[in-house]
Amino acid sequence: MGPLRPSPGPGGQRLLLPPLLLALLLLLAPSASHTTQVVYKVPEEQPPNTLIGSLAADYGLPDVGHLYKLEVGAPYLRVDGKTGDIFTTETSIDREGLRECQNQIPGNPCILEFEVSITDLVQNGSPRLLEGQIEVQDINDNTPNFASPVITLAIPENTNIGSLFPIPLATDRDAGPNGVASYELQAGPEAQELFGLQVAEDQEEKQPQLIVMGNLDRERWDSYDLTIKVQDGGNPPRASSALLRVTVLDTNDNAPKFERPTYEAELSENSPIGHSVIQVKANDSDQGANAEIDYTFHQAPEVVRRLLRLDRNTGLITVQGPVDREDLSTLRFSVLAKDRGATPKSARAQVVVTVKDMNDNAPTIEIRGIGLVTHQDGMANISEDVAEETAVALVQVSDRDEGENAAVTCVVAGDVPFQLRQASETGSDSKKKYFLQTTTPLDYEKVKDYTIEIVAVDSGNPPLSSTNSLKVQVVDVNDNAPVFTQSITEVAFPENNKPGEVVAEVTASDADSGSNAELVYSLEPEPAAQGLFTISPENGEIRVKTSLDREQRDSYELKVVAADKGSPSLQGTATVLVNVLDCNDNDPKFMLSGYNFSVMENMPALSPVGMVTVIDGDKGENARVQLSVEQDNGDFVIQNGTGTILSSLSFDREQQSTYTFQLKAVDGGVPPRSAYVGVTINVLDENDNAPFITAPSNTSHRLLTPQTRLGETVSQVTAEDIDSGINAELTYSIAGGNPYGLFQIGSHSGAITLEKEIERRHHGLHRLVVKVSDRGKPPRYGTALVHLYVNETLANRTLLETLLVHSLDTPLDIDIAGDPEYERSKQRGNILFGVVAGVVAVALLIALAVLVRYCRQREAKSGYQAGKKETKDLYAPKPSGKAAKGNKSKGKKSKSPKPVKPVEDEDDTGLQKSLKFNLMSDAPGDSPRIHLPLNYPPGSPDLGRHYRSNSPLPSIQLQPQSPSASKKHQVVQDLPPANTFVGTGDTTSTGSEQYSDYSYRTNPPKYPSKQVGQPFRLSTPQPPPHPYHGAIWTEVWE
């Protein structure tokens, strides 16, 4: 809104607004969108004729030639018809008394709606409709009060020290900071050491609670009189007090407890009397009268007590009055459960009842005038020469229901040259505004009047409808307006002229005849030219009445009106521009008396920080201005021509947040003139600091027992950010360490709560990686480690410290959550089953291979076969060197049969390939051989000796690094590094290892057990070398 002006008060005196109120009104800033809606803010209880806002200034419309009319907003508002300024009236705007602001949700703004139509009187066009809202801001005009001047509390004499007893709340009709802010307890010497006061935040209310600080003795003192004081947060604050009488009584052990702290229910409007809404229930662990509970409303509004009934014994809430959602959509109240003990205890629960809409309201059609068109007795008079799409009425269609029941469709019935056009895009489905406008030109000679019927239907089931009608009377008019020969005339006129000189002469003509063509000239100058010029009504001659000064104004715009004498009179207009022809008699002038600029910190040097504008009333060189920085320390420079201020440094808000200096402006006149202005640079905050975790430390922990309840807070993360504003607003999230989804963190509070029941696999240390981010762009964040130890006790602190050290050494992308051996034990069982199955399969394959080989060898030894020549070199070793070549040259007939290849496992084949055997030669000087006897009978129990005795293969020497590739061979077996035993028969090799239930290290694989003389596979990879690592030669038969 524009600058504040003193407004005349009662008795014709001029009232000056208080400084605080003046500051509030200076903050009133309209916000209008393309839908022509504007919002103002104004404190309540303003005196009459207080300026709220100027529609002409806000929309850039001239304050002449337009008619502003208040359509909606009376009796609290009035509008100046010429300027569009909105003022308060004698009816004061009381925020607490406005119907629109009663029973609203706390925290929502109080809105007073208004509508203003704007009609261009010059162009005589269709009026515009401005929809606006005024946010009525609360002032501290109400004192907080208790419901009763005497408050009684009954406290058992054996109450524990530190026990809390709620004190009934005080109420304040004001809202926000002006509401209840603090409580204070005043006690005499006898009670000063026994009682204290604590104020808790409960459901956005400040709940005073009496603290018992000493032992009470009813026989010594059975009652105490205290004073409790309540004060609001206004400036200045308002306060009141009440007598708090504490009666010491015998004990009732347990207080009732509601099953839920908050009950929510839905209630259809128009529900019958006795309809059940919801039942609240509280339980008391006492017995007898101490467990019998009475339910009552607690500080419930009068409307709740009027509409609802609470059964004292069962807690059932039923309907006892007509419920209309259009009057009240939500019922919020508290229910008090009190036992019947000698010293009754009580509990309180919140109840929220949402009233559901029923289609019980038909649409309402309101037809009223708009702009220059007025309605009387349901009739509107419209000139026949109005343009197409001219609005003749404003139609408002509304439905008090909501949702589909309030979605209204509105149409014009019948064949008439009128239609509805939506007047505002800001309306809802339940409330729409339309212009009733013409669709074709009207002709009085054809149709003199119209009856327009408007029908509105909602979308309910079944739908409801309503109708309304308007009669339009067409009025005959003077059809032609005067026309000037030139619509714009520009005249150059020297300053310092003599009064009475002729400036210009204009002429106009009218196509009509008679009195409709007789013209009368008049001037409608702009406000600056008011009283400076005159015009002859007969001939249109314009004269100047005083001497002009170009320094005061270099041009004048005169609007010349030629009106005929018809009824009604028509008029034409023309514009005369008078340009005043120039000396250096004006100082340079800054547009503002002082400049305040805001820049972001960390901006690079030589960046623009602001721009100033300086003007000079003169022209040419007299108006050419040079700018410079006074008291220049090199921090800032200014560009001439643009007025842009540049910084020579990079700002750091944490080091300096404000810079102040002066600018000097000098014109080019002789002698030159100058001016000064102060400049203040305010450095704004940038998100250049990350949040700092204050609690908990990364090495701290907290015990979490399996009996912890769901929803219970198990830890609290707090952080700080030295930035300001949104850069210091922090959000919390769990970034890792929560694979089971056991925990959840409040995004704004940082409170970590248990979300799932604790199972056996969850026992152990849980490391939550909490990410604390600010809301800057881009955001910065810090990370905290929260250790929660799930166990019954903290008996094994050494283990816990070991787990904490391991957690700090473990990367954050690895989850530490619960007992790792729980899953490993399952995996070991699966692995053991697989190993056993694999051993059995390998044993079967080896047995099959031995059986096949044995059968083939028996076939080879079966003796002479008819037609086949027996060779005694059947089992002879394959010759090498030249002997082999010689045999090859003798032909293919002497070739020995190839040995049968046994069926072997794929892994055995790989093993044989990896082992190297060296055949020993008989040459002298070779290493000693292992000589085996070859004359064992086939029935020998040692099958190995039997095969050696019947095999013509030469003896071989087994070396540790070169095992033989024969089918009968010896294998080099590496020993494990420790605890390995090797023997014959059923003796096995075993290994031992250390194991910890809470070890997070990878366990090395145990060495497999093997039996000497039985088939086996070498496990890979081999164990690392050991200082006492030896080799065992083991014979293997296939």
Side-chain angles (χ1 to χ4, degrees), residues 767-824:
R767 182 188 67 180
L768 301 182
V769 182
V770 177
K771 180 179 179 182
V772 184
S773 304
D774 57 29
R775 296 182 61 190
K777 292 185 179 179
R780 293 177 176 267
Y781 65 90
T783 304
L785 300 183
V786 179
H787 293 96
L788 300 174
Y789 184 55
V790 179
N791 204 3
E792 294 290 349
T793 64
L794 281 177
N796 195 347
R797 289 188 173 273
T798 302
L799 173 62
L800 178 58
E801 292 175 359
T802 302
L803 296 178
L804 290 175
V805 172
H806 174 266
S807 171
L808 298 178
D809 294 338
T810 303
L812 298 183
D813 57 348
I814 299 177
D815 289 337
I816 297 180
D819 185 359
E821 294 301 326
Y822 182 82
E823 295 295 336
R824 292 180 184 174

Side-chain angles (χ1 to χ4, degrees), residues 860-876:
K861 295 178 182 180
S862 60
Y864 174 81
Q865 297 179 6
K868 182 176 180 181
K869 182 180 180 180
E870 182 178 357
T871 173
K872 62 180 180 179
D873 294 333
L874 180 64
Y875 296 100

Side-chain angles (χ1 to χ4, degrees), residues 704-709 754 758 763 790-792:
L704 186 62
T705 64
Q707 292 79 25
T708 304
R709 297 187 303 273
L754 181 65
I758 296 177
H763 285 218
V790 179
N791 204 3
E792 294 290 349

Side-chain angles (χ1 to χ4, degrees), residues 354-671:
T354 301
V355 182
K356 295 176 61 177
D357 181 61
M358 303 294 291
N359 192 24
D360 58 346
N361 292 278
T364 301
I365 304 174
E366 180 184 355
I367 304 175
R368 61 176 184 262
I370 181 69
L372 295 177
V373 181
T374 59
H375 294 187
Q376 185 175 4
D377 298 330
M379 179 180 293
N381 294 324
I382 305 299
S383 300
E384 64 171 331
D385 60 346
V386 295
E388 293 184 22
E389 299 184 353
T390 296
V392 300
L394 180 65
V395 179
Q396 177 173 306
V397 182
S398 60
D399 196 314
R400 298 187 65 194
D401 295 321
E402 68 176 1
E404 291 295 326
N405 298 330
V408 181
T409 302
C410 187
V411 295
V412 175
D415 185 14
V416 292
F418 296 91
Q419 67 179 6
L420 294 175
R421 177 176 63 86
Q422 192 166 339
S424 172
E425 298 179 3
T426 60
S428 61
D429 289 341
S430 62
K431 184 178 181 181
K432 296 181 179 180
K433 295 182 179 68
Y434 299 92
F435 286 128
L436 179 62
Q437 62 185 21
T438 60
T439 58
T440 60
L442 303 180
D443 191 347
Y444 173 80
E445 288 71 25
K446 292 182 179 180
V447 180
K448 295 180 174 56
D449 57 67
Y450 298 91
T451 299
I452 305 170
E453 185 175 7
I454 299 174
V455 181
V457 182
D458 64 22
S459 300
N461 187 13
L464 301 178
S465 63
S466 60
T467 61
N468 199 353
S469 61
L470 173 69
K471 187 174 183 179
V472 176
Q473 186 74 40
V474 182
V475 180
D476 191 20
V477 295
N478 182 18
D479 295 340
N480 297 284
V483 177
F484 284 88
T485 55
Q486 286 186 327
S487 59
I488 298 177
T489 302
E490 189 170 357
V491 178
F493 193 75
E495 63 177 334
N496 302 325
N497 59 284
K498 294 180 180 180
E501 291 186 4
V502 176
V503 177
E505 184 176 353
V506 293
T507 57
S509 60
D510 194 314
D512 294 325
S513 60
S515 60
N516 292 333
E518 296 179 7
L519 304 181
V520 177
Y521 296 95
S522 61
L523 284 180
E524 292 184 3
E526 59 184 341
Q530 196 73 34
L532 297 181
F533 302 90
T534 62
I535 189 171
S536 172
E538 294 80 16
N539 57 22
E541 188 177 72
I542 301 175
R543 294 178 180 269
V544 63
K545 297 172 61 177
T546 184
S547 181
L548 302 180
D549 185 359
R550 196 207 63 81
E551 283 71 29
Q552 293 182 1
R553 192 172 183 85
D554 60 353
S555 64
Y556 297 89
E557 182 175 323
L558 307 178
K559 181 179 178 182
V560 182
V561 179
D564 60 25
K565 295 181 180 180
S567 179
S569 175
L570 295 180
Q571 60 184 24
T573 60
T575 302
V576 177
L577 300 177
V578 180
N579 297 320
V580 182
L581 299 174
D582 185 50
C583 42
N584 190 20
D585 56 353
N586 292 280
D587 293 332
K589 182 180 180 181
F590 287 93
M591 295 299 293
L592 299 176
S593 59
Y595 288 88
N596 281 275
F597 300 108
S598 297
V599 297
M600 296 299 298
E601 64 175 330
N602 303 323
M603 196 168 62
L606 296 181
S607 296
V609 299
M611 180 180 293
V612 300
T613 304
V614 61
I615 59 174
D616 195 309
D618 298 321
K619 274 189 172 184
E621 288 297 324
N622 296 332
R624 194 180 303 277
V625 179
Q626 295 291 326
L627 298 173
S628 61
V629 178
E630 286 295 293
Q631 301 175 351
D632 186 10
N633 57 1
D635 289 347
F636 298 93
V637 296
I638 188 167
Q639 293 179 343
N640 280 293
T642 64
T644 302
I645 302 174
L646 306 177
S647 65
S648 302
L649 46 81
S650 179
F651 300 107
D652 188 348
R653 187 192 65 84
E654 285 73 24
Q655 294 185 2
Q656 185 173 349
S657 61
T658 305
Y659 297 83
T660 304
F661 54 91
Q662 277 193 333
L663 294 179
K664 181 180 180 181
V666 181
D667 64 19
V670 179

